[in-house]
Amino acid sequence: MARDEGGNNYDGGRLNLPFVGICTFAKAPYVEDWEALDADVGIIGAPYDSGTQWRAGARQGPRAVREASTLFSFGHAGAYDFEDDVTYLPKSVRLVDMGDADIVHTDTVRSHANIEHAVKKCLAAKALPVVIGGDHSINIPCVNAFDGHGDLHLIQFDAHLDFVDERHGVRYGHGNPMRRALEKHYVTGLSQFGIRNVSSTAREGYEAAREMGSDILSVRQIRKLGTEAVLERIPPAKRYYVTIDIDGFDPSIAAGTGTPSHGGFTYYEVLELLAGIARRGNVVGVDLVEVAPDYDHSGSTAILGAQILMNFLGRIFHAGGQI
């Protein structure tokens, strides 16, 4: 057994560097048998993008984010953050990759049902489900899976409201998920952060969202209020489900998405809000959606997605979060 200066053990003489091996999320163990799942975090891919209205490609998101995440595979040592003086994600946090939900091309009903099944298996094992999409419609089956698991407050980072009731007969596309969520009896509220510019939702959608209990803030409003004031608007001590659409970030750092919208968040603006959310309540579910890597040949959008997930997970478990 070899040991490097950072304290990492490399069994069998393998260095297992980021560019070597199979691309599970953060090079975590792959668990194919979901009945045998025993972990704190289950990573689930949901490579479905038939819910998009314009540019497809988010079906490649899970693979791209997994590959990018190998950059942040910390071995046995965890991730030390000198600003916080905290080692995040130590070995005691058991993270596994459950692979992908089975997707049937063009079949929304079956694909969503398979995503819901995967999340249910994760919840049954008392692990935190972290789902990588895919377009934002995959949030619908993710939230469906929480039926019977207690109340949820949803927190959304996004450029778009995603509160269309029905358009052209479509009720389960990527413009509908927040509307479908607030229709659930166990979803008690919704915080929508980053909404801006010309949105996919008409004025009546905004009015309906507020009537149903949503708190909507644009990027400019959040910057004016400041992080702590925004966090105070989120009901405390609740069970939070957090959904992160990569287009909530500015396209200058997240070009790889189907519906980019200028005027978005910077990295630290979102991270500071996520850190505050982890301290304010119990995060019980996460999804990251709309990474479409073919629109960003630099790969930086996928790296951003992986980095924000890793840092959010670190702060969730540092704050004592659990299902």
Side-chain angles (χ1 to χ4, degrees):
M1 179 180 294
R3 182 181 297 273
D4 75 351
E5 293 180 356
N8 291 327
N9 297 325
Y10 301 105
D11 297 329
R14 296 293 299 274
L15 293 178
N16 197 26
L17 293 174
F19 54 85
V20 175
I22 305 300
C23 292
T24 60
F25 187 83
K27 307 197 83 170
Y30 171 51
V31 176
E32 185 176 15
D33 182 2
W34 295 349
E35 301 297 334
L37 188 63
D38 183 17
D40 299 307
V41 182
I43 304 295
I44 301 166
Y48 177 84
D49 66 3
S50 294
T52 55
Q53 299 176 80
W54 188 35
R55 301 195 302 185
R59 68 182 63 184
Q60 304 299 334
R63 288 189 179 186
V65 172
R66 282 187 172 107
E67 182 175 1
S69 74
T70 62
L71 175 62
F72 309 109
S73 53
F74 304 114
H76 303 279
Y80 177 68
D81 187 313
F82 84 95
E83 288 184 286
D84 298 343
D85 193 23
V86 172
T87 297
Y88 293 111
L89 294 178
K91 189 178 180 181
S92 58
V93 178
R94 301 169 302 158
L95 189 152
V96 302
D97 195 318
M98 297 169 58
D100 291 343
D102 202 23
I103 301 302
V104 184
H105 61 286
T106 77
D107 192 331
T108 300
V109 174
R110 288 179 62 191
S111 297
H112 279 193
N114 290 339
I115 296 166
E116 181 178 343
H117 172 74
V119 177
K120 283 182 174 178
K121 287 298 183 182
C122 193
L123 292 173
K126 300 189 183 304
L128 171 69
V130 177
V131 183
I132 306 172
D135 67 51
H136 216 156
S137 75
I138 67 99
N139 172 263
I140 298 171
C142 291
V143 172
N144 288 349
F146 280 84
D147 192 3
H149 288 270
D151 290 345
L152 295 176
H153 182 91
L154 258 66
I155 303 172
Q156 173 197 14
F157 291 85
D158 204 324
H160 310 97
L161 200 70
D162 293 352
F163 214 84
V164 176
D165 184 16
E166 181 176 319
R167 183 179 293 157
H168 312 304
V170 176
R171 294 176 55 80
Y172 302 98
H174 77 164
N176 309 110
M178 297 302 103
R179 181 69 168 250
R180 299 288 83 84
L182 268 189
E183 291 171 348
K184 302 295 183 185
H185 67 89
Y186 50 90
V187 176
T188 58
L190 173 62
S191 300
Q192 299 183 274
F193 297 154
I195 314 303
R196 60 189 183 273
N197 298 330
V198 178
S199 178
S200 60
T201 304
R203 179 171 184 157
E204 55 265 27
Y206 282 82
E207 293 170 350
R210 292 188 178 100
E211 289 172 2
M212 294 172 71
S214 177
D215 184 24
I216 304 167
L217 290 175
S218 71
V219 173
R220 289 190 294 178
Q221 288 170 328
I222 287 172
R223 287 173 180 163
K224 185 175 182 179
L225 286 167
T227 300
E228 293 306 316
V230 172
L231 291 171
E232 285 295 322
R233 296 169 71 113
I234 302 172
K238 296 286 188 179
R239 287 161 44 87
Y240 301 137
Y241 184 103
V242 179
T243 179
I244 305 169
D245 188 324
I246 206 72
D247 70 31
F249 292 94
D250 192 79
S252 62
I253 61 170
T257 188
T259 52
S261 179
H262 288 279
F265 286 119
T266 65
Y267 170 73
Y268 276 112
E269 286 175 323
V270 173
L271 181 60
E272 288 172 6
L273 285 168
L274 292 174
I277 289 164
R279 295 190 301 267
R280 193 165 178 80
N282 192 18
V283 178
V284 297
V286 179
D287 66 56
L288 174 83
V289 299
E290 301 284 0
V291 173
D294 284 349
Y295 304 120
D296 178 9
H297 294 169
S298 75
S300 62
T301 307
I303 292 171
L304 171 64
Q307 187 172 336
I308 204 72
L309 285 179
M310 292 293 287
N311 277 284
F312 190 24
L313 286 171
R315 282 151 178 81
I316 290 169
F317 284 91
H318 182 68
Q322 56 187 1
I323 295 296

